């Protein structure tokens, strides 16, 4: 057998189930274009729409990977555990804050990809029950993704559709974000963190781990602060956010090029995410042309009142758990009239907060399950589904209610 064929077969065998699914989604999209089920013009328009978003996703994940490689996340987790002083209540609040801030400023997929292994390692070192930390990560990766356009790919799409820049978007979503965080915290404590669930009264704070390279630590930490500063300064959605993330990633990469080139490896490139998102934006327009669009119009309706907002949110949440939140949002967006901005933002809430019931509800949840599998963390599926359903219903209801309040106040 020729060496290239052997290499190809070895590569195919090394792919996990999730990788095969992502490649399959892209392959299906390309087949739809090749066979004419999706017109070439529609495909080009769909890919053109997400090009700036792909730049952002590529850059922010590279930035986060290098930040983790420099030990910044580990240092924060260590300090967080020590700051809790053995108190589970204090550690709970610190974990919620850490996961929420990571999701808000560095995207929910970053939380799933990078914070999950940090939390799992922290649990092992401190002798802490693993499931409470793991569930905190996956729930907040989804429910803490409402505040800023950068927090979720769906937010970037919605901000563009309703013409809201970063500050205006945050002004509409801050109260819904606080509402769903309160619900998430209450349910996390009740289902996973209280004494009966975690099994211990206190934990032993782990010993501090020294920073491997202070130059890299400072450079990557500074790059993250620069990126966050650009967001807080009111950088617009779209290409500008991609440029800001690219500039921050370039600073981190330059530091590693000088101090540790071995870290600049091909694995840094988030090809799985790029392939999956590109494939979805070919598959979803095809499904819309062949019935999904009509189905979503029937589910979402066209009423711009409070009932229409709740209907859109729960329709988006339901479809997210059946398919995935990204195609659910894209399909729902086409069903919402352009003038119904609150209904569209409610749909966004449903597709962000709602996909916590099934393992495939969001890409972040899929990535989280993959990390749990690698770390041999047992996730009780029945409890995951039932508690996720409670969070989806109560979280969507609370956040849509808060959205309607801010709309009236405005």
């Amino acid at each position: 057998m020729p060496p290239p064929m052997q290499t190809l077969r070895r590569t195919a065998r090394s792919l996990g189930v999730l990788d095969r699914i992502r490649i399959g989604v892209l392959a299906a999209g390309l087949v739809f274009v090749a066979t004419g089920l999706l017109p070439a013009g529609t495909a080009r328009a769909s890919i053109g729409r997400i090009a700036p978003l792909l730049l952002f996703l590529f850059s922010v994940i590279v930035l986060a990977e290098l930040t983790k490689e420099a030990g910044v996340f580990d240092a924060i987790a260590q300090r967080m555990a020590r700051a809790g002083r053995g108190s589970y209540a204090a550690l709970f609040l610190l974990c919620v804050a850490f996961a929420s801030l990571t999701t808000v400023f560095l995207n929910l997929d970053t939380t799933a990809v990078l914070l999950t292994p940090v939390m799992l390692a922290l649990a092992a070192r401190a002798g802490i029950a693993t499931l409470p930390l793991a569930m905190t990560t996956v729930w907040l990766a989804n429910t803490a993704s409402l505040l800023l356009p950068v927090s979720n790919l769906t937010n970037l799409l919605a901000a563009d559709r309703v013409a809201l820049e970063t500050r205006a978007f945050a002004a509409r979503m801050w109260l819904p974000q606080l509402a769903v965080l309160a619900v998430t915290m209450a349910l996390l404590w009740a289902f996973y963190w209280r004494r009966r669930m975690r099994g211990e009264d206190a934990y032993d704070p782990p010993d501090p781990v020294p920073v491997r390279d202070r130059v890299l630590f400072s450079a990557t930490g500074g790059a993250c602060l620069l990126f966050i500063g650009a967001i807080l300064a009111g950088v617009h959605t779209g290409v500008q956010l991609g440029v800001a993330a690219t500039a921050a990633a370039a600073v981190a990469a330059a530091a590693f090029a000088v101090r540790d080139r071995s870290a600049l490896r091909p694995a840094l490139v988030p090809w799985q995410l790029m392939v999956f998102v590109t494939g979805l934006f070919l598959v979803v327009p095809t499904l819309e042309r062949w019935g999904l669009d009509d189905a979503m119009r029937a589910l979402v309706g066209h009423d711009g009142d409070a009932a229409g907002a709740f209907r859109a949110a729960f329709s988006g949440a339901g479809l997210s758990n059946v398919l995935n939140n990204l195609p659910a949002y894209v399909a729902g967006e086409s069903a919402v009239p352009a003038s119904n901005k609150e209904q569209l933002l409610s749909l966004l809430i449903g597709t962000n907060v709602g996909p916590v019931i099934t393992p495939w509800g969001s890409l972040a949840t899929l990535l989280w399950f993959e990390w749990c599998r690698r770390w041999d963390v047992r996730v009780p599926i029945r409890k995951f589904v039932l508690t996720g359903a409670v969070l989806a219903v109560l979280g969507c209801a609370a956040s849509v209610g808060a959205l309607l309040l801010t709309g009236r106040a405005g």
Side-chain angles (χ1 to χ4, degrees):
M1 184 181 297
M5 185 61 69
Q6 291 177 346
T7 302
L8 184 61
R9 290 197 172 186
R10 282 196 300 268
T11 302
R13 285 195 297 268
S14 68
L15 294 174
V17 174
L18 292 179
D19 293 335
R20 294 172 188 270
I21 292 173
R22 294 172 188 127
I23 294 171
V25 169
L26 178 59
L30 294 175
V31 168
F32 291 155
V33 176
T35 58
L37 290 174
L38 180 66
T42 304
R44 284 193 296 269
S46 185
I47 297 302
R49 184 185 183 192
I50 65 165
L53 311 181
L54 290 174
L55 174 64
F56 163 74
L57 287 172
F58 171 85
S59 300
V60 79
I61 290 181
V62 169
L63 170 64
E65 286 276 10
L66 292 176
T67 302
K68 177 180 178 291
E69 188 72 22
V72 174
F73 281 3
D74 279 324
I76 294 172
Q78 290 284 339
R79 287 178 172 84
M80 185 172 63
R82 294 178 67 80
R85 298 177 179 273
S87 166
Y88 272 100
L91 181 65
F92 170 71
L93 294 175
L94 290 166
C95 286
V96 166
F98 189 19
S100 298
L101 289 173
T102 303
T103 301
V104 166
F105 291 109
L106 288 176
N107 181 272
L108 78 164
D109 297 318
T110 296
T111 300
V113 170
L114 301 180
L115 195 57
T116 301
V118 170
M119 290 291 199
L120 296 180
L122 174 61
R125 286 195 294 268
I128 301 170
T130 305
L131 193 59
L133 287 169
M135 292 304 301
T136 300
T137 305
V138 70
W139 275 11
L140 288 168
N142 289 284
T143 64
S145 66
L146 291 177
L147 184 61
L148 298 177
V150 300
S151 307
N152 199 326
L153 176 57
T154 52
N155 294 5
L156 289 166
L157 297 173
D160 179 62
R161 169 74 181 271
V162 298
L164 290 177
E165 297 176 1
T166 299
R167 292 192 182 201
F169 188 92
R172 286 307 317 274
M173 301 305 285
W174 70 269
L175 189 57
Q177 182 65 91
L178 287 180
V180 74
L181 283 180
V183 171
T184 305
M185 290 174 65
L187 295 180
L188 275 172
W189 186 267
F191 290 139
Y192 295 101
W193 277 84
R194 59 192 172 97
R195 172 65 174 81
R196 180 182 169 189
M197 301 301 169
R198 66 178 185 257
E200 299 290 342
D201 289 319
Y203 69 92
D204 295 324
D207 295 329
V209 176
V211 174
R212 179 171 58 89
D213 188 317
R214 292 201 171 274
V215 173
L216 291 176
F217 185 92
S218 300
T220 54
C224 287
L225 292 176
L226 286 173
F227 176 60
I228 293 170
I231 297 170
L232 296 177
V235 179
H236 300 327
T237 59
V239 176
Q240 292 88 345
L241 280 175
V243 170
T246 302
V251 171
F256 271 91
V258 174
R259 304 287 295 187
D260 183 9
R261 290 190 180 183
S262 63
L264 300 177
R265 54 193 182 277
L268 282 176
V269 178
W271 68 266
Q272 299 97 327
L273 183 60
M274 315 294 282
V275 164
F276 184 67
V277 171
T278 303
L280 279 178
F281 274 80
L282 294 175
V283 170
V284 171
T286 308
L287 296 178
E288 287 176 350
R289 288 175 55 84
W290 297 94
L292 181 59
D293 205 0
D294 293 335
M296 281 305 295
R297 283 194 177 92
L299 283 172
V300 173
H302 58 273
D303 297 328
D305 57 8
F310 281 103
R311 182 174 174 178
F314 285 107
S315 296
L319 189 61
S320 294
N321 285 292
V322 172
L323 297 177
N324 178 271
N325 71 326
L326 190 53
Y329 173 78
V330 174
E333 183 189 68
S334 66
V336 175
S339 58
N340 293 1
K341 292 187 176 181
E342 284 196 349
Q343 190 183 23
L344 183 71
L345 292 176
S346 298
L347 171 71
L348 177 69
I349 287 172
T351 55
N352 283 19
V353 173
V356 290
I357 302 174
T358 59
W360 56 84
S362 71
L363 179 61
T365 308
L366 276 170
L367 294 169
W368 176 83
F369 263 100
E370 178 66 16
W371 273 118
C372 289
R373 184 189 65 80
R374 292 183 186 183
W375 283 71
D376 295 323
V377 175
R378 180 182 172 274
V379 179
I381 294 298
R382 184 172 181 272
K383 184 175 182 178
F384 179 89
V385 170
L386 293 177
T387 58
V390 175
L391 174 60
V393 172
L394 297 182
C396 286
S399 46
V400 172
L403 176 73
L404 296 174
L405 285 177
T406 60
R408 292 193 184 99

